[in-house]
Short mmCIF file of all heavy atoms in Angstrom, two decimals:
data_model
loop_
_atom_site.label_atom_id
_atom_site.label_comp_id
_atom_site.label_asym_id
_atom_site.label_seq_id
_atom_site.Cartn_x
_atom_site.Cartn_y
_atom_site.Cartn_z
N VAL A 292 -14.91 43.86 -128.27
CA VAL A 292 -15.95 44.42 -129.15
C VAL A 292 -15.81 43.96 -130.61
O VAL A 292 -16.74 44.13 -131.40
CB VAL A 292 -16.02 45.97 -129.12
CG1 VAL A 292 -16.40 46.46 -127.74
CG2 VAL A 292 -14.73 46.62 -129.60
N PHE A 293 -14.66 43.39 -130.96
CA PHE A 293 -14.46 42.94 -132.35
C PHE A 293 -14.56 41.43 -132.51
O PHE A 293 -14.53 40.93 -133.64
CB PHE A 293 -13.07 43.40 -132.85
CG PHE A 293 -12.86 44.88 -132.79
CD1 PHE A 293 -11.97 45.44 -131.89
CD2 PHE A 293 -13.58 45.72 -133.62
CE1 PHE A 293 -11.77 46.82 -131.83
CE2 PHE A 293 -13.40 47.10 -133.56
CZ PHE A 293 -12.49 47.65 -132.67
N GLN A 294 -14.68 40.71 -131.40
CA GLN A 294 -14.65 39.24 -131.49
C GLN A 294 -15.85 38.67 -132.25
O GLN A 294 -16.97 39.19 -132.16
CB GLN A 294 -14.57 38.63 -130.08
CG GLN A 294 -13.16 38.69 -129.50
CD GLN A 294 -13.10 38.39 -128.02
OE1 GLN A 294 -14.09 37.96 -127.43
NE2 GLN A 294 -11.96 38.64 -127.41
N ASN A 295 -15.58 37.61 -132.99
CA ASN A 295 -16.61 36.89 -133.75
C ASN A 295 -17.38 37.76 -134.74
O ASN A 295 -18.56 37.54 -135.01
CB ASN A 295 -17.61 36.21 -132.80
CG ASN A 295 -16.91 35.27 -131.85
OD1 ASN A 295 -16.14 34.42 -132.29
ND2 ASN A 295 -17.15 35.43 -130.56
N LYS A 296 -16.71 38.76 -135.26
CA LYS A 296 -17.37 39.68 -136.19
C LYS A 296 -16.64 39.77 -137.52
O LYS A 296 -17.21 40.18 -138.52
CB LYS A 296 -17.35 41.10 -135.61
CG LYS A 296 -18.44 41.44 -134.64
CD LYS A 296 -18.28 42.92 -134.30
CE LYS A 296 -19.26 43.38 -133.26
NZ LYS A 296 -18.96 44.76 -132.84
N ILE A 297 -15.33 39.47 -137.49
CA ILE A 297 -14.50 39.83 -138.64
C ILE A 297 -14.07 38.59 -139.41
O ILE A 297 -13.41 37.71 -138.88
CB ILE A 297 -13.27 40.63 -138.17
CG1 ILE A 297 -13.74 41.88 -137.44
CG2 ILE A 297 -12.37 41.00 -139.35
CD1 ILE A 297 -12.70 42.53 -136.58
N ASP A 298 -14.49 38.52 -140.67
CA ASP A 298 -14.13 37.38 -141.51
C ASP A 298 -12.70 37.48 -141.99
O ASP A 298 -12.24 38.55 -142.38
CB ASP A 298 -15.03 37.33 -142.76
CG ASP A 298 -16.46 37.01 -142.40
OD1 ASP A 298 -16.67 36.33 -141.38
OD2 ASP A 298 -17.37 37.45 -143.13
N LEU A 299 -12.01 36.34 -141.96
CA LEU A 299 -10.69 36.24 -142.62
C LEU A 299 -10.90 35.44 -143.89
O LEU A 299 -11.46 34.35 -143.86
CB LEU A 299 -9.71 35.48 -141.73
CG LEU A 299 -9.40 36.04 -140.34
CD1 LEU A 299 -8.23 35.28 -139.73
CD2 LEU A 299 -9.06 37.52 -140.43
N GLU A 300 -10.45 35.98 -145.00
CA GLU A 300 -10.63 35.29 -146.28
C GLU A 300 -9.36 35.35 -147.10
O GLU A 300 -8.66 36.36 -147.09
CB GLU A 300 -11.73 35.98 -147.11
CG GLU A 300 -13.11 35.56 -146.74
CD GLU A 300 -14.16 36.20 -147.65
OE1 GLU A 300 -13.84 36.51 -148.81
OE2 GLU A 300 -15.28 36.39 -147.17
N ILE A 301 -9.11 34.28 -147.83
CA ILE A 301 -8.02 34.33 -148.80
C ILE A 301 -8.53 35.13 -150.01
O ILE A 301 -9.71 35.04 -150.38
CB ILE A 301 -7.57 32.91 -149.18
CG1 ILE A 301 -6.86 32.28 -147.96
CG2 ILE A 301 -6.65 32.92 -150.40
CD1 ILE A 301 -6.42 30.86 -148.13
N SER A 302 -7.66 35.98 -150.53
CA SER A 302 -8.02 36.84 -151.66
C SER A 302 -8.74 36.07 -152.77
O SER A 302 -8.39 34.93 -153.06
CB SER A 302 -6.75 37.47 -152.23
OG SER A 302 -7.01 38.05 -153.48
N HIS A 303 -9.73 36.70 -153.38
CA HIS A 303 -10.44 36.07 -154.49
C HIS A 303 -9.70 36.25 -155.82
O HIS A 303 -10.15 35.77 -156.84
CB HIS A 303 -11.85 36.67 -154.62
CG HIS A 303 -12.72 36.44 -153.43
ND1 HIS A 303 -14.08 36.44 -153.49
CD2 HIS A 303 -12.42 36.16 -152.13
CE1 HIS A 303 -14.59 36.22 -152.28
NE2 HIS A 303 -13.60 36.05 -151.45
N LEU A 304 -8.63 37.00 -155.79
CA LEU A 304 -7.92 37.27 -157.03
C LEU A 304 -6.91 36.17 -157.34
O LEU A 304 -6.32 35.58 -156.43
CB LEU A 304 -7.19 38.62 -156.94
CG LEU A 304 -8.04 39.85 -156.70
CD1 LEU A 304 -7.15 41.08 -156.52
CD2 LEU A 304 -9.02 40.09 -157.84
N ASP A 305 -6.70 35.90 -158.59
CA ASP A 305 -5.70 34.94 -159.04
C ASP A 305 -4.32 35.55 -158.82
O ASP A 305 -4.04 36.66 -159.28
CB ASP A 305 -5.95 34.66 -160.53
CG ASP A 305 -4.83 33.84 -161.16
OD1 ASP A 305 -3.86 33.51 -160.45
OD2 ASP A 305 -4.95 33.53 -162.35
N GLU A 306 -3.47 34.83 -158.12
CA GLU A 306 -2.18 35.41 -157.75
C GLU A 306 -1.35 35.85 -158.96
O GLU A 306 -0.60 36.81 -158.88
CB GLU A 306 -1.37 34.43 -156.89
CG GLU A 306 -0.44 35.19 -155.96
CD GLU A 306 0.64 34.32 -155.35
OE1 GLU A 306 0.52 33.09 -155.37
OE2 GLU A 306 1.62 34.91 -154.88
N ASN A 307 -1.49 35.15 -160.05
CA ASN A 307 -0.67 35.46 -161.22
C ASN A 307 -1.06 36.79 -161.88
O ASN A 307 -0.24 37.43 -162.52
CB ASN A 307 -0.80 34.34 -162.26
CG ASN A 307 -0.25 33.05 -161.72
OD1 ASN A 307 0.82 33.04 -161.12
ND2 ASN A 307 -1.00 31.97 -161.88
N THR A 308 -2.30 37.17 -161.73
CA THR A 308 -2.74 38.39 -162.43
C THR A 308 -3.16 39.50 -161.47
O THR A 308 -3.42 40.62 -161.90
CB THR A 308 -3.94 38.06 -163.34
OG1 THR A 308 -4.95 37.43 -162.54
CG2 THR A 308 -3.55 37.14 -164.47
N ALA A 309 -3.21 39.19 -160.17
CA ALA A 309 -3.76 40.15 -159.20
C ALA A 309 -3.01 41.47 -159.19
O ALA A 309 -3.63 42.54 -159.14
CB ALA A 309 -3.73 39.53 -157.81
N ALA A 310 -1.69 41.40 -159.25
CA ALA A 310 -0.91 42.62 -159.14
C ALA A 310 -1.17 43.54 -160.32
O ALA A 310 -1.29 44.77 -160.17
CB ALA A 310 0.57 42.28 -159.04
N ILE A 311 -1.29 42.95 -161.51
CA ILE A 311 -1.60 43.76 -162.70
C ILE A 311 -3.01 44.33 -162.62
O ILE A 311 -3.25 45.51 -162.89
CB ILE A 311 -1.40 42.92 -163.99
CG1 ILE A 311 0.10 42.74 -164.24
CG2 ILE A 311 -2.09 43.56 -165.19
CD1 ILE A 311 0.44 41.80 -165.38
N LEU A 312 -3.96 43.49 -162.18
CA LEU A 312 -5.35 43.95 -162.02
C LEU A 312 -5.43 45.09 -161.00
O LEU A 312 -6.11 46.09 -161.23
CB LEU A 312 -6.24 42.80 -161.54
CG LEU A 312 -6.73 41.81 -162.58
CD1 LEU A 312 -7.66 40.82 -161.93
CD2 LEU A 312 -7.43 42.53 -163.72
#
Side-chain angles (χ1 to χ4, degrees):
Chain A
V292 297
F293 302 111
Q294 281 167 10
N295 302 309
K296 276 185 184 173
I297 301 163
D298 292 332
L299 301 190
E300 278 184 28
I301 290 177
S302 167
H303 298 204
L304 300 175
D305 171 359
E306 209 195 343
N307 296 315
T308 54
I311 286 173
L312 280 184

